[in-house]
Amino acid sequence: MQDNNFRLNPHSLKTTITRVETDKIVTRGYNQRDLIEKIRYSDMVFLLLKGRLPSLKESKIFNYVLVSFCDHGATPPSTQTARLVASSGSPINSAAAGALLSFGHKHAGAIEKTMELYQSKINSIHLIDDATIDNKQIAGLAIEIYEEYIIKGKKVPGFGHRYHNVDPRAEKLMELAINQGFIGPHIKLALAIEDLVCERKHIRLNVDGANAAILSDLGFTPDLGLGVFIIGRMPGIIAHIHEEKMDEEEFRRFCDLDDVIYEG
């Protein structure tokens, strides 16, 4: 006897990303055969995340973002975790997973927080007036942020770096955005904040602060910030894993017995 209360949904998963048919793959409405030939990898990432192909200017800018995230040496926790896992003889996917699990509030979390800050301030003006935001309004928002953070002794997200007085990636990204004529309200806001903070505290934009502004002007929401960072950083992570496996001793120790102080 059939139970009418139990009905199996034959279409339990819906997606607007990719349709797979016999001998055919369509992503966001485009045949992948055509995409393989006609677009760059960064364009494919943009298409997958945004649902449309980027304009020529957007394509260049987004590629700059991904390249700027590619690697920052062996010091980040994610890279050290990946190398430590790799030294144990684990496969590359396990070491890469270790790196991904190391991203958190203190490492790679700044970009989402900075995007939220920029976008909330710009949106606060759009809620009042849909007209184009002028430079006077941008300056006012920068002063608001300065008063909310610096005067109260708090760190502005997206600013300062433990190794760089001037983060070369952030400086170059802003230079390229200006040269490409890609100056939206979020980039204007980031630069206005930098003017204030640098003048009074000698602190400059870092790569997260620069890319948070660029991604916001590209129309990305904050919840995708970390995802874009991961896409950019994984090639560097994989390179470190491969180097660890090829060039270092297995089960390499990052500390020895003499480095451990027992306080029990």
Side-chain angles (χ1 to χ4, degrees):
M1 181 176 179
Q2 184 176 359
D3 185 354
N4 292 327
N5 293 321
F6 178 77
R7 296 179 180 178
L8 181 64
N9 184 357
H11 303 293
S12 58
L13 179 61
K14 297 179 181 179
T15 180
T16 61
I17 301 172
T18 297
R19 183 177 75 251
V20 179
E21 304 172 358
T22 303
D23 302 332
K24 187 177 182 180
I25 308 170
V26 177
T27 296
R28 298 292 196 189
Y30 296 91
N31 192 315
Q32 278 200 24
R33 287 176 58 91
D34 298 328
L35 294 174
I36 290 170
E37 178 184 6
K38 296 179 180 178
I39 69 171
R40 298 188 297 180
Y41 174 71
S42 57
D43 296 333
M44 188 65 174
V45 173
F46 191 99
L47 173 65
L48 285 166
L49 297 181
K50 295 288 291 175
R52 64 174 179 85
L53 286 171
S55 68
L56 181 59
K57 185 178 293 187
E58 287 174 330
S59 173
K60 290 181 179 179
I61 293 292
F62 189 60
N63 190 65
Y64 299 153
V65 169
L66 292 181
V67 172
S68 73
F69 279 141
C70 66
D71 191 52
H72 195 259
T75 60
S78 56
T79 308
Q80 292 188 19
T81 300
R83 297 191 74 128
L84 182 60
V85 174
S87 77
S88 73
S90 296
I92 191 169
N93 58 301
S94 297
L100 289 174
L101 292 172
S102 298
F103 295 136
H105 176 67
K106 299 294 185 181
H107 174 36
I111 188 165
E112 182 174 325
K113 188 175 181 180
T114 310
M115 290 174 75
E116 288 174 349
L117 175 63
Y118 294 162
Q119 292 184 28
S120 65
K121 290 298 181 181
I122 295 299
N123 289 340
S124 70
I125 292 181
H126 279 310
L127 289 173
I128 299 171
D129 185 1
D130 287 335
T132 302
I133 299 175
D134 60 34
N135 291 337
K136 184 177 180 180
Q137 290 171 307
I138 293 290
L141 293 177
I143 292 171
E144 278 185 26
I145 292 172
Y146 182 84
E147 292 175 345
E148 289 173 12
Y149 286 86
I150 298 299
I151 290 180
K152 294 182 179 180
K154 298 190 296 183
K155 182 182 181 299
V156 184
F159 283 80
H161 199 283
R162 60 177 175 162
Y163 294 127
H164 308 299
N165 294 321
V166 179
D167 190 328
R169 300 164 297 178
E171 185 178 49
K172 186 62 177 181
L173 284 163
M174 292 295 97
E175 175 189 319
L176 289 167
I178 292 170
N179 289 343
Q180 290 289 334
F182 189 80
I183 308 293
H186 301 93
I187 292 176
K188 287 182 179 180
L189 178 57
L191 292 172
I193 298 169
E194 184 177 49
D195 286 343
L196 284 174
V197 176
C198 184
E199 178 183 351
R200 303 179 193 188
K201 291 290 184 177
H202 307 292
I203 299 173
R204 302 285 298 275
L205 272 168
N206 59 36
V207 69
D208 292 319
N211 279 330
I214 293 172
L215 290 173
S216 294
D217 281 337
L218 282 169
F220 286 89
T221 52
D223 59 299
L224 280 173
L226 177 58
V228 175
F229 172 83
I230 291 171
I231 293 167
R233 180 54 60 91
M234 282 311 296
I237 294 292
I238 292 170
H240 280 280
I241 293 169
H242 182 68
E243 183 178 72
E244 183 72 27
K245 287 179 172 291
M246 294 297 103
D247 298 346
E248 300 292 343
E249 294 181 5
E250 291 184 358
F251 207 66
R252 183 156 66 102
R253 292 171 295 189
F254 282 65
C255 66
D256 211 332
L257 288 178
D258 294 337
D259 300 318
V260 180
I261 299 175
Y262 176 65
E263 296 182 335

